[in-house]
Each structure stands twice: as C-alpha cells, then as structure tokens.
Amino acid sequence: MIWCVEDDASIRDIEVYALQSTGFEAKGFEDGTSFWEALRTERPELVVLDVMLPGIDGYQVCRELRSTSQVPIIMLSAKGEIFDKVLGLELGADDYMVKPFDTKEVVARSKAVLRRCTAATT
C-alpha cells in the first residue's frame, strides 16, 4: 500500500489514481494528522509526502516518521530549490520530486524506491 499525503485534493486524487491504475494499492491523506491517525492501525509500504501541508509540514512528518520507521519516503513538493531538496533527503527521504510532475515519473520512482528497499531487506 502506498500512502499519498497531499493537501491539494486534485493532486492527491491524481497521485492515487496513477498508482492504482498501474496495479498498486494506494490511499490518500489530506494532512499529517490523518496520516498519523492511520499509522496507529496500518503500515504503508511507501509514503509519497508533500512538503507544504497544513499544520505539521512534510519535513516534520518525514523527521518523525524516520525516527520510528524505515518506510521509504518520496517527497513531492513545489519547493524546488537545492536547499529544499537537500533538507528533505537529509531528514530521511529516499527521493525528492518537484511539482509540477508527470504521473508516469511518480509511478516509476515509486517502483524504483520499492525495488531498492526490497533488495536491501533480502
């Protein structure tokens, strides 16, 4: 299951649809709070995480998630400066994509990150 954490409903729906249409199970969350609530009972295989979320931002979600889990994280953000990319990666993201994005690239990067993580655990 891939979890997409994105406050913009249209972008979140596109991400989820693109992943589902290529055979992944995917679910969307509108903010960090709903994401954390779901983590109480479920665990994703991959998180596609927006940086600019209301309340707790994506950087903080990444930092906190990484402190307790090794679930792969792809950050997907309109923040495209080198500083932002480096910060996301240093906080523990496995990849960082800049909006606007192509859904084919999101799917390809998701497959690549999952492939790397699966190979690392076997």
Side-chain angles (χ1 to χ4, degrees), residues 100-118:
F101 61 91
D102 187 285
T103 56
K104 291 177 186 153
E105 185 177 5
V106 172
V107 170
R109 286 179 184 252
S110 296
K111 288 178 181 178
V113 167
L114 287 169
R115 205 171 34 246
R116 282 194 309 270
C117 291
T118 301

Side-chain angles (χ1 to χ4, degrees), residues 78-104:
K79 292 183 148 194
E81 297 298 319
I82 294 297
F83 171 82
D84 300 306
K85 294 176 189 177
V86 170
L87 178 59
L89 294 168
E90 286 182 346
L91 289 174
D94 297 279
D95 200 352
Y96 192 107
M97 292 182 61
V98 178
K99 296 175 187 175
F101 61 91
D102 187 285
T103 56
K104 291 177 186 153

Side-chain angles (χ1 to χ4, degrees), residues 6-97:
E6 167 65 58
D7 61 318
D8 184 317
S10 61
I11 293 173
R12 184 176 60 246
D13 291 347
I14 289 168
E15 291 173 24
V16 169
Y17 176 79
L19 291 162
Q20 289 176 340
S21 68
T22 57
F24 287 108
E25 289 184 58
K27 182 189 302 190
F29 298 89
E30 65 184 349
D31 56 31
T33 303
S34 60
F35 170 79
W36 286 114
E37 288 174 11
L39 273 177
R40 292 180 190 161
T41 58
E42 299 177 71
R43 293 285 179 224
E45 295 173 65
L46 170 68
V47 177
V48 179
L49 178 62
D50 182 28
V51 170
M52 294 185 287
L53 295 170
I56 179 172
D57 71 17
Y59 291 132
Q60 187 64 28
V61 170
C62 182
R63 181 183 296 113
E64 290 181 25
L65 183 58
R66 192 50 76 226
S67 72
T68 61
S69 172
Q70 289 303 309
V71 65
I73 300 168
I74 298 175
M75 298 195 98
L76 183 60
S77 176
K79 292 183 148 194
E81 297 298 319
I82 294 297
F83 171 82
D84 300 306
K85 294 176 189 177
V86 170
L87 178 59
L89 294 168
E90 286 182 346
L91 289 174
D94 297 279
D95 200 352
Y96 192 107
M97 292 182 61

